[in-house]
Amino acid sequence: NAGVTQTPKFRILKIGQSMTLQCTQDMNHNYMYWYRQDPGMGLKLIYYSVGAGITDKGEVPNGYNVSRSTTEDFPLRLELAAPSQTSVYFCASSYSQGSGNQPQHFGDGTRLSIL
Amino acid sequence: TQLLEQSPQFLSIQEGENLTVYCNSSSVFSSLQWYRQEPGEGPVLLVTVVTGGEVKKLKRLTFQFGDARKDSSLHITAAQPGDTGLYLCAGFHTGAGSYQLTFGKGTKLSVIP
């Protein structure tokens, strides 16, 4: 009964390095999301996907890329890490979102520091 | 960008007290969700309200959606230390290609034993 699993849980990067944050869900949800959470700022949507092969930008997509080759996986890529990308990153999934009634299920987050 | 304002930002109360937190917007939402987030974990859904004026109860928690579907409140009766956490409201807009929840900044609640 894993739900949404994110790896790694913690990571420290140097400026200019790249990395991929992994997210996988075992609930057969079509919709998946990436958020970042900064202190006192709530959750901001980075990218989302409504199904395999389909992705779209959210509110704060600059500096990030995503792919969705399978229903289960939705990795987030940082190509050139910058200090402004220091944050806690959450992946979430939902069965659908057409009516707004479906809950989003969140992973436990990846805490990323860029130094 | 549709904004959701939550108040208060921080709240520290004694065990047994009652409290209300608010979620307000100038925009109309088709539905609104409340989540609770504990340190080191992701948010967990508490409730979804859909109809203007709707009231839902979850044990000691009472959620209300405003008649105009622009605001919501969460009332906790006889708060307990286990209620400590970050409470987030999130509004959903319908519309072509709209699959986004807009989150408020949250209310950080501390219940002191």
Side-chain angles (χ1 to χ4, degrees), chain A residues 5-50:
Chain A
T5 302
Q6 292 184 237
T7 57
K9 294 190 182 301
F10 304 93
R11 184 74 185 269
I12 298 174
L13 282 181
K14 294 183 179 179
I15 296 171
Q17 287 185 321
S18 61
M19 78 163 292
T20 299
L21 282 66
Q22 301 291 345
C23 175
T24 186
Q25 53 93 8
D26 62 0
M27 296 173 283
N28 202 32
H29 285 166
N30 288 325
Y31 290 61
M32 296 188 74
Y33 316 83
W34 273 106
Y35 294 91
R36 59 177 290 172
Q37 186 176 37
D38 300 315
M41 295 301 294
L43 289 157
K44 299 288 187 183
L45 184 66
I46 305 171
Y47 271 95
Y48 65 97
S49 170
V50 302

